[in-house]
Amino acid sequence: MRDMQRIDPRRFGQDPLLAERINSQIVSGLEQIELQLRRKLEEQQGGSVRSGASEPAPPGYQNSVSEYFRKLSKEK
């Protein structure tokens, strides 16, 4: 994380290929950090990290949300 904070985008100049390579490395590093944090949180909570509290859909969206979840369940 500290390495990512030290990156100065002005050093890239106008080289889009270099900027893309650096960006992909940063994203990869962030994804690794996210995965580690998720695993730690899951161990502490004893469940799935991505499952949030069940909240009702906003007014006017209930049918769309229901259809979305029906389609997701059929894709398996």
Side-chain angles (χ1 to χ4, degrees), residues 7-25:
I7 295 175
D8 181 5
R10 293 174 288 183
R11 292 186 347 199
F12 306 148
Q14 298 298 325
D15 186 351
L17 182 58
L18 176 61
E20 180 59 32
R21 276 189 19 222
I22 292 171
N23 187 38
S24 69
Q25 289 176 350

Side-chain angles (χ1 to χ4, degrees), residues 32-43 49:
Q32 290 298 318
I33 291 168
E34 178 187 16
L35 182 59
Q36 291 171 359
L37 291 173
R38 242 191 242 151
R39 286 180 180 160
K40 286 181 182 181
L41 187 59
E42 188 173 271
E43 288 173 5
V49 175

